[in-house]
Amino acid sequence: WEKELLSKISLTFNEENDYLSACQSLCSTIGEFGQFDWVELWTLNIDRSLIQHVSHYLKNPDDLVFYEISKELIQYEKGQGLPGCVWESKKQLFWDANKIKNDFIRWEAAIHIDLNAVLGIPIFNEGEIIGVLIIGIKRQEETFNEYANLFSQFHNFIGGEIARKQLEDSLLHLHESIPDVVCVADFQGRCLKMNRTGRDFFGYSQEELLDLHFEEFVFSTDQEDSAKEIAKLTRGQSTFSFEKRYVQKNSENNWLSWTCKPILKERLIYATARNITQEKKLRELRKVTTEMARIGSWEVDLINNKLFWSEMVHQLHETDHTTYEPALEEGINFYREDFREMVAKVVNDCIQNDR
């Protein structure tokens, strides 16, 4: 019995895509396995202040009236109701018909569907209680005797499966809510998984993306550079701020800035990308404006004592922006001699006063 049930539970959590579906299947699996009339799963909320109803199984569909009668009782504090009492005691609790009538908060609903006995089972993960499984039967309470020991032996197994699925679900929600493109691709350039932001950006469903290669999205004039970057990734080199244009399903062209990390053993590329289309437009506008006004800009690298000039500054000083990197003192020497002392004073003031 034990191996059969463990196998079914493990299969349930591996087959179901989301946490709630897995919990529903867990209740059904246990209910059908033991021919139980009623099974519920309760888990602690994120701040562990309440225990909440997650899913249930009813052998007889007509017994759904139970939840119509008790529809407002979906969460308890520690020590409240059978779920709260099991949470507090961290032990299995068995309540017979008399106990149900006297202490079961949802006793009216329980009597309405003829429950004769209920068993509360604590669920643990890494020594901490994370939930409670409630099982109810209409037949003689002796039925529980053959299952009580079985459930006490694998409450850690169920807890581990639930905790793993909760983590998967949380990561999925985080993955889907991140405002940047997040994706996983293989070394052949196929997109294996992409979050909602990415799917919305490109305009394709996850199923459509599986049939496409990244090179199909890259703007024609950027394909050579993109191919070189992917080649680097397949050799294990990470990519930072790789900016290229991409063609969307609606034929629009927009810019993405990529950060990618390859995992050679898995032959996979984990990547994030930021939509920088507006930023690129502003950069271009700024460039045009500065060229028209002939205004340049520069910044100082204090650690390496280097100066970074904009292209306009290089034009003004008639230097090559691709090869010439002046040191700070050299940069100041490009100013007219009678201005050098003033420029040096301003630069020093900025350094000293952080402004």
Side-chain angles (χ1 to χ4, degrees):
W1 287 2
E2 182 178 353
K3 288 183 178 179
E4 181 185 352
L5 185 56
L6 288 176
S7 176
K8 286 183 177 180
I9 291 172
S10 180
L11 189 63
T12 289
F13 279 93
N14 286 323
E15 285 184 340
E16 296 294 347
N17 290 327
D18 65 275
Y19 170 66
L20 291 178
S21 297
C23 290
Q24 182 61 56
S25 294
L26 170 68
C27 291
S28 299
T29 298
I30 292 174
E32 291 166 2
F33 177 82
Q35 295 291 299
F36 301 124
D37 297 293
W38 177 63
V39 180
E40 282 188 335
L41 176 65
W42 295 68
T43 60
L44 300 184
N45 64 358
I46 195 164
D47 65 356
R48 301 178 65 83
S49 62
L50 294 169
I51 191 164
Q52 301 172 322
H53 173 264
V54 176
S55 59
H56 61 263
Y57 161 83
L58 290 163
K59 186 178 181 181
N60 184 352
D62 292 338
D63 288 343
L64 274 171
V65 68
F66 179 96
Y67 292 101
E68 294 175 12
I69 296 172
S70 61
K71 59 185 176 182
E72 295 180 1
L73 300 171
I74 57 173
Q75 61 184 29
Y76 294 129
E77 296 177 357
K78 184 181 284 190
Q80 185 182 28
L82 181 55
C85 289
V86 175
W87 175 17
E88 185 174 54
S89 67
K90 299 182 180 180
K91 297 177 181 178
Q92 279 193 18
L93 294 179
F94 170 75
W95 288 5
D96 59 16
N98 289 328
K99 189 75 170 173
I100 289 174
K101 189 172 182 180
N102 294 324
D103 297 325
F104 196 71
I105 293 178
R106 297 175 290 171
W107 67 271
E108 289 182 277
I111 290 174
H112 191 88
I113 66 170
D114 299 321
L115 283 180
N116 188 57
V118 291
L119 179 67
I121 306 161
I123 298 171
F124 295 92
N125 180 55
E126 298 182 347
E128 289 284 339
I129 187 167
I130 64 167
V132 173
L133 195 66
I134 306 290
I135 299 174
I137 56 172
K138 299 179 181 181
R139 53 194 186 275
Q140 292 300 313
E141 59 192 55
E142 286 77 13
T143 306
F144 274 140
N145 294 336
E146 56 185 309
Y147 292 108
N149 289 332
L150 176 61
F151 288 129
S152 66
Q153 291 174 25
F154 65 73
H155 51 56
N156 284 306
F157 173 78
I158 294 178
E161 291 291 320
I162 289 174
R164 179 178 63 81
K165 206 65 181 180
Q166 284 177 326
L167 179 59
E168 285 181 10
D169 218 47
S170 296
L171 291 175
L172 177 62
H173 290 314
L174 180 63
H175 181 262
E176 289 297 295
S177 63
I178 290 174
D180 292 342
V181 177
V182 180
C183 70
V184 182
D186 62 19
F187 280 9
Q188 286 70 50
R190 291 185 306 138
C191 179
L192 305 179
K193 191 172 182 61
M194 183 174 284
N195 70 341
R196 180 175 287 115
T197 302
R199 298 194 300 270
D200 290 345
F201 175 85
F202 287 106
Y204 294 94
S205 68
Q206 184 62 60
E207 291 71 25
E208 290 175 312
L209 286 168
L210 289 172
D211 296 326
L212 299 171
H213 285 68
F214 263 109
E215 62 186 26
E216 298 178 55
F217 302 130
V218 182
F219 194 72
S220 56
T221 57
D222 294 338
Q223 286 183 355
E224 186 177 346
D225 286 344
S226 184
K228 290 179 181 177
E229 204 65 30
I230 291 176
K232 289 180 184 177
L233 288 167
T234 61
R235 294 195 297 270
Q237 299 177 34
S238 296
T239 291
F240 301 97
S241 301
F242 178 69
E243 300 179 0
K244 289 298 171 192
R245 288 166 293 179
Y246 293 85
V247 182
Q248 296 157 294
K249 191 174 185 178
N250 62 7
S251 299
E252 289 186 6
N253 303 319
N254 280 298
W255 289 82
L256 289 176
S257 175
W258 290 93
T259 297
C260 311
K261 181 171 180 59
I263 306 297
L264 293 179
K265 187 179 289 186
E266 299 177 4
R267 297 187 65 77
L268 294 175
I269 299 168
Y270 294 85
T272 63
R274 206 163 42 85
N275 187 341
I276 58 167
T277 305
Q278 294 304 315
E279 187 179 322
K280 291 290 287 188
K281 289 178 179 178
L282 287 173
R283 284 187 210 166
E284 189 61 30
L285 179 61
R286 192 181 304 120
K287 181 180 178 182
V288 171
T289 304
T290 55
E291 286 177 353
M292 291 176 64
R294 295 188 64 77
I295 298 173
S297 61
W298 52 274
E299 61 181 66
V300 181
D301 179 351
L302 297 176
I303 297 175
N304 297 309
N305 193 35
K306 286 185 177 181
L307 207 56
F308 295 93
W309 284 348
S310 67
E311 288 187 31
M312 179 53 65
V313 173
H314 279 286
Q315 287 182 31
L316 292 171
H317 293 318
E318 298 180 346
T319 55
D320 186 347
H321 72 276
T322 62
T323 59
Y324 183 70
E325 294 184 5
L328 180 57
E329 186 175 343
E330 291 176 346
I332 292 175
N333 288 337
F334 274 88
Y335 286 89
R336 211 172 65 192
E337 188 173 352
D338 55 332
F339 279 92
R340 291 174 190 169
E341 184 178 348
M342 182 189 71
V343 172
K345 186 176 183 303
V346 171
V347 171
N348 187 63
D349 186 54
C350 288
I351 295 171
Q352 296 296 325
N353 298 302
D354 192 27
R355 64 181 184 182

mmCIF file of all heavy atoms in Angstrom, residues 227-243:
data_model
loop_
_atom_site.group_PDB
_atom_site.id
_atom_site.type_symbol
_atom_site.label_atom_id
_atom_site.label_comp_id
_atom_site.label_asym_id
_atom_site.label_seq_id
_atom_site.Cartn_x
_atom_site.Cartn_y
_atom_site.Cartn_z
ATOM 1 N N ALA A 227 25.190 36.584 -34.454
ATOM 2 C CA ALA A 227 25.751 35.238 -34.618
ATOM 3 C C ALA A 227 27.088 35.121 -33.885
ATOM 4 O O ALA A 227 27.380 34.092 -33.256
ATOM 5 C CB ALA A 227 25.919 34.920 -36.100
ATOM 6 N N LYS A 228 27.912 36.170 -33.950
ATOM 7 C CA LYS A 228 29.202 36.168 -33.246
ATOM 8 C C LYS A 228 28.991 36.098 -31.731
ATOM 9 O O LYS A 228 29.720 35.409 -31.026
ATOM 10 C CB LYS A 228 29.991 37.432 -33.601
ATOM 11 C CG LYS A 228 30.516 37.461 -35.030
ATOM 12 C CD LYS A 228 31.254 38.761 -35.303
ATOM 13 C CE LYS A 228 31.758 38.812 -36.741
ATOM 14 N NZ LYS A 228 32.426 40.113 -37.041
ATOM 15 N N GLU A 229 27.974 36.822 -31.249
ATOM 16 C CA GLU A 229 27.709 36.842 -29.811
ATOM 17 C C GLU A 229 27.233 35.467 -29.326
ATOM 18 O O GLU A 229 27.633 34.997 -28.264
ATOM 19 C CB GLU A 229 26.647 37.908 -29.491
ATOM 20 C CG GLU A 229 26.688 38.430 -28.083
ATOM 21 C CD GLU A 229 27.964 39.184 -27.767
ATOM 22 O OE1 GLU A 229 28.563 39.795 -28.682
ATOM 23 O OE2 GLU A 229 28.383 39.146 -26.585
ATOM 24 N N ILE A 230 26.380 34.818 -30.138
ATOM 25 C CA ILE A 230 25.903 33.474 -29.776
ATOM 26 C C ILE A 230 27.067 32.483 -29.792
ATOM 27 O O ILE A 230 27.150 31.588 -28.944
ATOM 28 C CB ILE A 230 24.785 33.025 -30.734
ATOM 29 C CG1 ILE A 230 23.529 33.875 -30.471
ATOM 30 C CG2 ILE A 230 24.468 31.546 -30.548
ATOM 31 C CD1 ILE A 230 22.382 33.602 -31.414
ATOM 32 N N ALA A 231 27.987 32.660 -30.720
ATOM 33 C CA ALA A 231 29.165 31.784 -30.779
ATOM 34 C C ALA A 231 29.994 31.912 -29.501
ATOM 35 O O ALA A 231 30.506 30.924 -28.975
ATOM 36 C CB ALA A 231 30.006 32.132 -32.007
ATOM 37 N N LYS A 232 30.124 33.140 -28.994
ATOM 38 C CA LYS A 232 30.844 33.354 -27.733
ATOM 39 C C LYS A 232 30.143 32.634 -26.583
ATOM 40 O O LYS A 232 30.781 32.023 -25.724
ATOM 41 C CB LYS A 232 30.930 34.850 -27.417
ATOM 42 C CG LYS A 232 31.846 35.648 -28.311
ATOM 43 C CD LYS A 232 31.838 37.107 -27.889
ATOM 44 C CE LYS A 232 32.663 37.984 -28.806
ATOM 45 N NZ LYS A 232 32.583 39.423 -28.403
ATOM 46 N N LEU A 233 28.807 32.732 -26.572
ATOM 47 C CA LEU A 233 28.029 32.087 -25.511
ATOM 48 C C LEU A 233 28.231 30.573 -25.524
ATOM 49 O O LEU A 233 28.346 29.947 -24.466
ATOM 50 C CB LEU A 233 26.547 32.430 -25.665
ATOM 51 C CG LEU A 233 26.145 33.867 -25.320
ATOM 52 C CD1 LEU A 233 24.734 34.168 -25.818
ATOM 53 C CD2 LEU A 233 26.224 34.108 -23.813
ATOM 54 N N THR A 234 28.273 29.987 -26.703
ATOM 55 C CA THR A 234 28.460 28.528 -26.785
ATOM 56 C C THR A 234 29.856 28.113 -26.327
ATOM 57 O O THR A 234 30.078 26.928 -26.053
ATOM 58 C CB THR A 234 28.219 28.024 -28.222
ATOM 59 O OG1 THR A 234 29.154 28.651 -29.108
ATOM 60 C CG2 THR A 234 26.798 28.329 -28.662
ATOM 61 N N ARG A 235 30.781 29.071 -26.234
ATOM 62 C CA ARG A 235 32.127 28.780 -25.715
ATOM 63 C C ARG A 235 32.221 29.074 -24.224
ATOM 64 O O ARG A 235 33.285 28.964 -23.624
ATOM 65 C CB ARG A 235 33.173 29.597 -26.482
ATOM 66 C CG ARG A 235 33.301 29.211 -27.954
ATOM 67 C CD ARG A 235 34.569 29.781 -28.566
ATOM 68 N NE ARG A 235 34.582 31.242 -28.574
ATOM 69 C CZ ARG A 235 34.114 31.994 -29.566
ATOM 70 N NH1 ARG A 235 33.577 31.403 -30.643
ATOM 71 N NH2 ARG A 235 34.166 33.300 -29.506
ATOM 72 N N GLY A 236 31.096 29.510 -23.628
ATOM 73 C CA GLY A 236 31.070 29.728 -22.182
ATOM 74 C C GLY A 236 31.251 31.158 -21.737
ATOM 75 O O GLY A 236 31.338 31.428 -20.543
ATOM 76 N N GLN A 237 31.306 32.103 -22.684
ATOM 77 C CA GLN A 237 31.489 33.510 -22.324
ATOM 78 C C GLN A 237 30.130 34.185 -22.097
ATOM 79 O O GLN A 237 29.233 34.077 -22.940
ATOM 80 C CB GLN A 237 32.237 34.248 -23.431
ATOM 81 C CG GLN A 237 33.619 33.705 -23.709
ATOM 82 C CD GLN A 237 34.297 34.439 -24.863
ATOM 83 O OE1 GLN A 237 34.098 35.635 -25.064
ATOM 84 N NE2 GLN A 237 35.105 33.722 -25.629
ATOM 85 N N SER A 238 29.988 34.879 -20.977
ATOM 86 C CA SER A 238 28.739 35.587 -20.690
ATOM 87 C C SER A 238 28.659 36.871 -21.509
ATOM 88 O O SER A 238 29.676 37.398 -21.973
ATOM 89 C CB SER A 238 28.639 35.913 -19.195
ATOM 90 O OG SER A 238 28.570 34.723 -18.436
ATOM 91 N N THR A 239 27.444 37.365 -21.657
ATOM 92 C CA THR A 239 27.200 38.585 -22.434
ATOM 93 C C THR A 239 26.532 39.630 -21.550
ATOM 94 O O THR A 239 25.614 39.308 -20.792
ATOM 95 C CB THR A 239 26.270 38.286 -23.626
ATOM 96 O OG1 THR A 239 26.979 37.482 -24.561
ATOM 97 C CG2 THR A 239 25.823 39.558 -24.318
ATOM 98 N N PHE A 240 27.001 40.865 -21.647
ATOM 99 C CA PHE A 240 26.421 41.956 -20.875
ATOM 100 C C PHE A 240 26.092 43.131 -21.804
ATOM 101 O O PHE A 240 26.916 43.522 -22.625
ATOM 102 C CB PHE A 240 27.381 42.423 -19.777
ATOM 103 C CG PHE A 240 27.752 41.350 -18.799
ATOM 104 C CD1 PHE A 240 28.928 40.639 -18.953
ATOM 105 C CD2 PHE A 240 26.906 41.010 -17.748
ATOM 106 C CE1 PHE A 240 29.283 39.635 -18.071
ATOM 107 C CE2 PHE A 240 27.241 40.011 -16.861
ATOM 108 C CZ PHE A 240 28.432 39.318 -17.015
ATOM 109 N N SER A 241 24.886 43.662 -21.691
ATOM 110 C CA SER A 241 24.457 44.855 -22.430
ATOM 111 C C SER A 241 24.688 44.730 -23.936
ATOM 112 O O SER A 241 25.224 45.635 -24.577
ATOM 113 C CB SER A 241 25.178 46.098 -21.886
ATOM 114 O OG SER A 241 24.889 46.263 -20.514
ATOM 115 N N PHE A 242 24.288 43.604 -24.489
ATOM 116 C CA PHE A 242 24.379 43.393 -25.933
ATOM 117 C C PHE A 242 23.112 43.961 -26.560
ATOM 118 O O PHE A 242 22.018 43.435 -26.369
ATOM 119 C CB PHE A 242 24.521 41.898 -26.237
ATOM 120 C CG PHE A 242 24.573 41.580 -27.702
ATOM 121 C CD1 PHE A 242 25.670 41.959 -28.464
ATOM 122 C CD2 PHE A 242 23.534 40.899 -28.320
ATOM 123 C CE1 PHE A 242 25.727 41.667 -29.819
ATOM 124 C CE2 PHE A 242 23.580 40.599 -29.672
ATOM 125 C CZ PHE A 242 24.685 40.992 -30.422
ATOM 126 N N GLU A 243 23.254 45.047 -27.310
ATOM 127 C CA GLU A 243 22.097 45.783 -27.830
ATOM 128 C C GLU A 243 21.921 45.556 -29.327
ATOM 129 O O GLU A 243 22.814 45.836 -30.110
ATOM 130 C CB GLU A 243 22.276 47.285 -27.558
ATOM 131 C CG GLU A 243 22.393 47.614 -26.075
ATOM 132 C CD GLU A 243 22.603 49.101 -25.838
ATOM 133 O OE1 GLU A 243 22.652 49.855 -26.839
ATOM 134 O OE2 GLU A 243 22.721 49.515 -24.675
#
